[in-house]
Amino acid sequence: MVAARQSVHSGFSRLTDALSDPAREAMVSALFGGKALPAGELALLAGVSPQSASAHLQKLTEARLLSVWQQGRFRYYRIADDEVAGLIENLVNVAARTEHAERARGVPMPLRQSRTCYCHLAGQLGVALRHGLLGRKLIALRGREASITDEGLAWCRAEAVDFKPGRDPHVRLCNDWTERVPHLAGPFANAILKRLIATHALAPHRVPRALRLTPRGRAFFERLGVSIPF
């Protein structure tokens, strides 16, 4: 009698199936900057009808890639969480490997310099932030994850960054698809970006997802001991 084979399926095919449509890829990409958008706007961005958009969004929410909430008569969608954002960033990174030189030439410079990656900072400035926090020993890196140190907590108080340590990891590495080295993601990185935007150290750019570094932002990075690459 032949023994039954034990299933080794991990379930990721459900996620890849949910992402394997150009319209759904366009919707997820539109939400990747941390925005929450209604179904009608996502339908326009994806170039599909409202009825088709509804079916696509249902598939993405059932796969737990997007979350949704009701506000009045509108339903707003956003990336489910930071872990899903990291997955999508890694997929973008893998997809870019074989054509990196061609893609890099086509990336607007503001996006390469500073942009949102879900709710944290990416691009050259995101990489510089990683160097600054590690160089000052404000975070302790273990593999691809990190925890904030006592010095880091003191720095948060000095810079009025609203972060309260919870469950580890406070930070994780997220591959940067333009710089080809990691920037920082996770609750601590999210809190830093929130503070930079609230204090107008970073301002919206006319290029979607790009952020403009202001004089206040330069002063912030100078205090961190970071040399701005642009």
Side-chain angles (χ1 to χ4, degrees):
M1 182 175 178
V2 178
R5 290 184 178 178
Q6 185 176 1
S7 173
V8 294
H9 292 171
S10 60
F12 70 78
S13 60
R14 178 173 58 90
L15 304 179
T16 56
D17 179 59
L19 291 168
S20 63
D21 180 273
R24 293 195 289 273
E25 181 182 352
M27 290 175 173
V28 170
S29 298
L31 296 170
F32 196 60
K35 293 181 179 179
L37 297 174
E41 189 168 342
L42 289 168
L44 288 173
L45 290 169
V48 296
S49 68
Q51 294 79 9
S52 181
S54 180
H56 286 306
L57 289 167
Q58 182 177 354
K59 194 172 185 72
L60 290 166
T61 53
E62 286 177 351
R64 299 185 180 180
L65 295 168
L66 300 185
S67 60
V68 58
W69 78 90
Q70 190 90 22
Q71 186 171 351
R73 61 190 183 90
F74 294 104
R75 289 165 63 85
Y76 286 84
Y77 295 83
R78 68 178 302 165
I79 301 294
D81 54 37
D82 199 56
E83 192 171 3
V84 171
L87 165 68
I88 295 167
E89 178 82 356
N90 284 332
L91 288 174
V92 171
N93 189 55
V94 171
R97 280 180 187 168
T98 57
E99 50 180 343
H100 175 64
E102 290 75 15
R103 287 177 63 90
R105 282 195 291 268
V107 175
M109 185 53 69
L111 272 180
R112 295 203 62 172
Q113 291 176 339
S114 178
R115 66 181 184 275
T116 56
C117 175
Y118 187 47
C119 294
H120 55 266
L121 184 62
Q124 294 172 351
L125 203 57
V127 174
L129 177 65
R130 174 175 66 87
H131 288 314
L133 294 175
L134 285 171
R136 291 272 303 275
K137 295 182 171 53
L138 304 183
I139 57 174
L141 188 63
R142 301 182 302 274
R144 294 190 62 83
E145 297 179 346
S147 298
I148 189 170
T149 63
D150 291 340
E151 292 84 354
L153 288 173
W155 177 82
C156 281
R157 291 190 291 270
E159 292 289 349
V161 174
D162 185 14
F163 176 75
K164 297 177 178 61
R167 186 179 63 184
D168 273 346
H170 305 141
V171 187
R172 61 177 176 79
L173 297 183
C174 180
N175 291 332
D176 196 294
W177 67 272
T178 58
E179 302 314 296
R180 313 298 288 172
V181 293
H183 57 249
L184 299 178
F188 183 40
N190 295 353
I192 293 173
L193 178 59
K194 184 176 181 180
R195 176 62 178 168
L196 291 173
I197 291 175
T199 57
H200 306 289
L202 291 172
H205 197 281
R206 63 180 180 275
V207 177
R209 284 185 59 198
L211 296 168
R212 177 175 53 83
L213 184 66
T214 70
R216 287 186 179 183
R218 291 188 179 276
F220 171 89
F221 281 96
E222 286 173 3
R223 291 193 299 272
L224 189 57
V226 171
S227 176
I228 304 300
F230 51 86

